[in-house]
Amino acid sequence: MKRPDGRNVDELRKIEAKAGIIKRADGSASFKIGNTIAYAAVYGPRNLYPRFLQNPEKGILRCNYNMMPFSGSGERIRPGSSRRSKEISLVTEKALLPVINLGEFPNSVIDIFIEFPQTDAGSRCAGICAASIALAEAGVPMKELVAAVAVGIVNGEVVVDLSKEEEDMDGAVDIPIAITTKSNNISLLQMDGMIKQEDIKKAIELGKKASQKIFELQKKAIKDKYNV
Ligand code: ADP
């Protein structure tokens, strides 16, 4: 089956990843997948204020997901926080936490700001991919990277990296997943739609394979930054 944009079922959209794009930040990255563009900027580890939020045992990770007002499909997106952006910020934190050792940073915070000038589905996954590169560039000790991609069902077939057009099709199922790149653990799995048990297994396998391709591009972005 060919997909609306001509891709094969296991084919990702074109990806471009870059580290070190925001010089003022401690770490930063862009991650473009098709028409979805994510920028991530990391500040910290730095002292956490107000002080009563500090934990002397370990630091905290704080993610902020934000779609820019013009980043949807034409209608202005109301600036500021929404239920959706709060949820995505939270799941982004949870997807990244397993690879970071916050025990090394008592009383501290690592802030990650993730902004989207343009989206065409898969934005939470693109944000996680960008944030993971930015954390590495910031020098935050990480056990491994995190790669993320949406998998799901389009026209009854298991596919990887759904576009907005595909996500909006009747019967489509959208499953964003994040995979830790060495131990191959799942650190995010959400689902929108109904899927058969055998299909979800197939979809996760497809996602794991795709995440290895993404991992290679994330690694390349970091290496390119340091010319190694
Ligand atoms: P994800 O981007 O992670 O796939 P969703 O499934 O919630 O998350 O959204 C799919 C796509 O729908 C987004 O990438 C974006 O293009 C579009 N979208 C989501 N929320 C809005 C909004 N408030 N206004 C316009 N477009 C939106």
Side-chain angles (χ1 to χ4, degrees):
M1 178 203 76
K2 280 281 176 197
R3 298 165 61 181
D5 55 12
R7 279 183 292 152
N8 295 319
V9 289
D10 61 348
E11 196 176 337
L12 292 160
R13 291 174 288 181
K14 184 171 179 277
I15 296 176
E16 274 174 50
K18 221 171 164 185
I21 52 150
I22 298 157
K23 303 293 174 218
R24 271 280 281 131
D26 295 311
S28 60
S30 63
F31 189 90
K32 304 180 186 179
I33 181 160
N35 289 323
T36 295
I37 304 176
Y39 293 118
V42 170
Y43 289 86
R46 57 186 178 183
N47 283 342
L48 173 61
Y49 295 107
R51 245 169 215 265
F52 73 86
L53 292 175
Q54 291 184 357
N55 180 344
E57 313 259 292
K58 60 175 191 169
I60 64 162
L61 179 69
R62 212 161 42 183
C63 293
N64 191 70
Y65 167 104
N66 185 53
M67 278 174 69
M68 293 183 190
F70 49 81
S71 64
S73 40
E75 295 302 312
R76 177 171 181 267
I77 294 158
R78 227 171 112 224
S81 164
S82 64
R83 265 183 75 111
R84 177 176 175 274
S85 68
K86 276 191 195 141
E87 176 217 317
I88 299 179
S89 300
L90 186 72
V91 297
T92 301
E93 273 164 31
K94 290 196 184 297
L96 295 166
L97 270 174
V99 302
I100 308 170
N101 185 5
L102 289 170
E104 290 184 30
F105 309 112
N107 302 321
S108 304
V109 60
I110 300 174
D111 276 307
I112 313 181
F113 302 97
I114 310 169
E115 294 284 331
F116 296 84
Q118 192 171 289
T119 62
D120 181 18
S123 67
R124 74 196 66 200
C125 294
I128 291 167
C129 293
S132 182
I133 302 169
L135 280 167
E137 208 239 332
V140 173
M142 296 164 84
K143 292 176 220 137
E144 47 194 317
L145 290 176
V146 180
V149 69
V151 291
I153 304 275
V154 172
N155 282 330
E157 290 229 44
V158 179
V159 300
V160 72
D161 187 23
L162 284 76
S163 66
K164 178 93 172 97
E165 185 184 352
E166 289 179 316
E167 234 187 70
D168 290 345
M169 282 160 85
D170 274 349
V173 184
D174 176 34
I175 310 168
I177 58 174
I179 311 277
T180 61
T181 50
K182 239 195 233 163
S183 52
N184 232 6
N185 287 324
I186 296 173
S187 63
L188 165 89
L189 193 151
Q190 297 183 283
M191 183 160 79
D192 190 5
M194 301 274 278
I195 190 166
K196 284 192 263 170
Q197 203 174 358
E198 68 252 34
D199 281 345
I200 191 153
K201 286 188 182 154
K202 246 169 104 181
I204 290 171
E205 276 319 302
L206 211 58
K208 284 191 169 173
K209 279 201 191 116
S211 74
Q212 282 304 313
K213 291 182 200 158
I214 295 172
F215 174 40
E216 291 305 319
L217 296 166
Q218 289 175 302
K219 256 194 318 198
K220 186 174 178 305
I222 297 162
K223 285 185 173 170
D224 284 352
K225 166 78 204 315
Y226 295 102
N227 279 326
V228 288

